[in-house]
Amino acid sequence: MSSAMDLVNAATAEIETLSVDAAKAAVDVGDALFIDLRDIRELNREGRIAGAVHVPRGLLEFWIDPTSPYHKPELSTDKKLIFFCAAGWRSALATKTVKDMGHTNVAHMEGGFGAWRDAEGEIIAPKDKV
């Protein structure tokens, strides 16, 4: 049986991984869009990255598929979709899944929201912490 980390490591070997600085630069120039895969409870507890589109990990495949009745139009873009989660594990798996679905302009942000926070990236505080 494979462990969860075996799956993450296998996914990471097949996807593009961007540093926080590279991901931020791509978004800042308008070439990319951040996709936040974290659970709503994480967003409410930790805050958000400005401009990131929230796509709960459990709904990603349905929201990104243009043939799905649950498709979200904001995910149909020519911009690179840069996925992130809390630490980069779920986003590695999600990026691999989306790549397997045929999307080629995708990457994930190494270290996720934790790395963003540690790099002192701008965070929109949760409403109860403002």
Side-chain angles (χ1 to χ4, degrees):
M1 183 171 140
S2 295
S3 71
M5 286 312 297
D6 289 338
L7 295 174
V8 169
N9 291 333
T12 302
E14 296 185 36
I15 61 172
E16 180 179 6
T17 300
L18 298 175
S19 68
V20 168
D21 290 339
K24 183 179 184 315
V27 170
D28 285 350
V29 298
D31 292 339
L33 179 66
F34 277 132
I35 307 296
D36 191 338
L37 299 167
R38 296 175 300 147
D39 182 272
I40 190 67
R41 292 169 291 202
E42 293 173 279
L43 276 70
N44 290 340
R45 183 178 60 244
E46 302 294 328
R48 303 169 185 249
I49 296 175
V53 175
H54 180 233
V55 178
R57 176 62 190 97
L59 295 171
L60 175 62
E61 293 84 349
F62 302 99
W63 285 14
I64 202 165
D65 177 1
T67 67
S68 167
Y70 305 105
H71 175 67
K72 299 294 182 185
E74 59 265 39
L75 298 177
S76 290
T77 179
D78 291 335
K79 293 181 180 185
K80 180 181 294 267
L81 301 178
I82 302 175
F83 297 97
F84 71 92
C85 59
W89 301 348
R90 288 172 286 179
S91 60
L93 295 173
T95 304
K96 170 76 167 70
T97 297
V98 170
K99 184 178 173 188
D100 289 347
M101 291 176 75
H103 296 270
T104 57
N105 202 13
V106 295
H108 95 113
M109 184 169 66
E110 185 174 25
F113 188 80
W116 178 269
R117 183 188 57 239
D118 292 348
E120 299 182 1
E122 182 181 351
I123 295 173
I124 299 172
K127 290 181 181 170
D128 63 342
K129 294 184 181 182
V130 175

